[in-house]
Amino acid sequence: MKLSKAIYSFLASRLTQGQARANHPRIETIAVNGGFTGVLIDNQDAGLAMNIRAGNSLNASDVELLRGLIGVPALEVGRLAFETPGGPQGFLLTSLGIAALSALSQPFLREPGCLTDYGIGWRPSGFQEVVDRDVSPCSVVTMVGFGGAVRQVAQKAKAVYVPELAPDLFRSLIVNRNGARQGPCRVHLLPAQEVGEALSGADLVLITACTLVSQTLDQILDLCASRAKPAIIYGPTASLVPHPFFLHPQVTKVTTLRVTNGVGLMEILAEGGVGQERFFGEVSENLTFYRTGDGNRLN
């Protein structure tokens, strides 16, 4: 089953058990900016998902579509996470669906102790734990997706390979007395279609959960499995019930956040701007989930 659909199915079964469909949480506010889509539901929980750059330029029809979703049950909107085709509007709707599932996931993330029944442990720690515990100076790391975490890993690992949907967006030019050269200098930036080659020589694979939005995460995890490569999923977009991630035997950790102030998160997203993630700590807490035993079940 597609991972985003497994997350939806888990939440749907719990909501169906807990309350009548008419009382399911509904969409109250949607915020879309150049980096993220956020959803606030009527119980004041909020969720978010990173945007694909090609999917956040809104036209009039997009705005009308989003307006039509206000008041709709969040679980229904969550279906967009796995029922939407690709393309710019598809990326936007997929991100919206994941953000809705993230909002619905927050009650489960507030009580992570219940995860022990699924063979999943947790710690109040963020991505720095991955750098400290999982990346060694002699390791070759493949990071799927170029983000702020790349620099942290590149400062420690022997080599870092980064397959990216739009690699040219992340290239730089360095000019000095010795001439001109292209960056980044500490990582090998590759087009996304070379992900299989990049995985082959890796000791560890770090996958941004934004691949849920690009609808490539399942494929990448299958590639990890076929090459017996351990994988860690990271980033705000992984702010979801973690059980389905661990159905993939290669996943050893998920490091993400849980939202502690839904209204505050929506205010941050509404202001947008470069570097908005640096304010997430004001409205969220870091969480790392890890495999402790038999996590291969959803019920």
Side-chain angles (χ1 to χ4, degrees):
M1 181 188 297
K2 198 171 184 179
L3 201 152
S4 54
K5 188 172 183 178
I7 293 167
Y8 167 89
S9 297
F10 179 92
L11 292 168
S13 67
R14 297 319 187 264
L15 285 173
T16 301
Q17 292 171 10
Q19 54 190 285
R21 184 178 179 84
N23 296 324
H24 284 185
R26 295 174 181 268
I27 304 294
E28 184 172 294
T29 306
I30 298 168
V32 182
N33 64 39
F36 294 88
T37 292
V39 164
L40 181 72
I41 55 181
D42 57 14
N43 65 3
Q44 303 306 288
D45 278 329
L48 76 167
M50 188 173 283
N51 284 326
I52 302 296
R53 289 172 182 261
N56 53 38
S57 180
L58 305 183
N59 56 37
S61 64
D62 295 328
V63 174
E64 285 304 306
L65 186 153
L66 296 179
R67 289 182 64 184
L69 295 175
I70 302 301
V72 172
L75 189 62
E76 183 176 328
V77 176
R79 297 181 66 90
L80 295 172
F82 57 90
E83 290 186 346
T84 305
Q89 189 180 68
F91 288 146
L92 169 64
L93 295 180
T94 303
S95 180
L96 178 62
I98 293 166
L101 296 178
S102 172
L104 291 170
S105 293
Q106 297 309 309
F108 298 92
L109 301 185
R110 284 195 290 269
E111 299 180 7
C114 68
L115 300 176
T116 56
D117 293 339
Y118 299 88
I120 300 170
W122 70 280
R123 287 185 286 265
S125 60
F127 187 80
Q128 187 60 44
E129 174 184 309
V130 173
V131 178
D132 294 340
R133 296 191 181 197
D134 300 288
V135 177
S136 73
C138 59
S139 60
V140 176
V141 180
T142 292
M143 297 190 71
V144 180
F146 197 104
V150 169
R151 183 172 180 272
Q152 290 174 264
V153 176
Q155 287 178 319
K156 186 174 182 183
K158 176 182 177 182
V160 179
Y161 294 85
V162 185
E164 172 57 53
L165 283 172
D168 289 343
L169 291 176
F170 300 94
R171 297 195 189 280
S172 58
L173 178 67
I174 304 97
V175 181
N176 56 30
R177 290 187 177 88
N178 297 320
R181 59 194 174 105
Q182 192 177 64
C185 305
R186 291 187 174 184
V187 305
H188 305 277
L189 192 57
L190 308 169
Q193 57 266 33
E194 296 182 20
V195 63
E197 180 180 344
L199 292 177
S200 295
D203 301 305
L204 174 67
V205 183
L206 305 180
I207 309 171
T208 171
C210 189
T211 49
L212 280 168
V213 180
S214 63
Q215 301 185 33
T216 56
L217 180 55
D218 294 273
Q219 176 188 0
I220 294 166
L221 288 175
D222 286 344
L223 287 171
C224 289
S226 67
R227 291 161 172 77
K229 304 296 182 181
I232 295 173
I233 297 170
Y234 71 95
T237 310
S239 181
L240 297 153
V241 287
H243 318 64
F245 291 110
F246 291 98
L247 288 175
H248 290 267
Q250 302 310 117
V251 175
T252 60
K253 287 183 182 178
V254 177
T255 180
T256 186
L257 55 80
R258 62 179 170 201
V259 179
T260 56
N261 182 346
V263 173
L265 174 65
M266 297 301 285
E267 290 175 352
I268 291 171
L269 297 181
E271 296 305 318
V274 176
Q276 61 193 296
E277 297 99 314
R278 71 183 185 274
F279 300 115
F280 286 175
E282 299 175 7
V283 296
S284 69
E285 296 174 343
N286 291 327
L287 282 179
T288 293
F289 300 101
Y290 55 92
R291 191 186 298 276
T292 61
D294 179 15
N296 295 321
R297 63 187 186 90
L298 284 174
N299 298 312

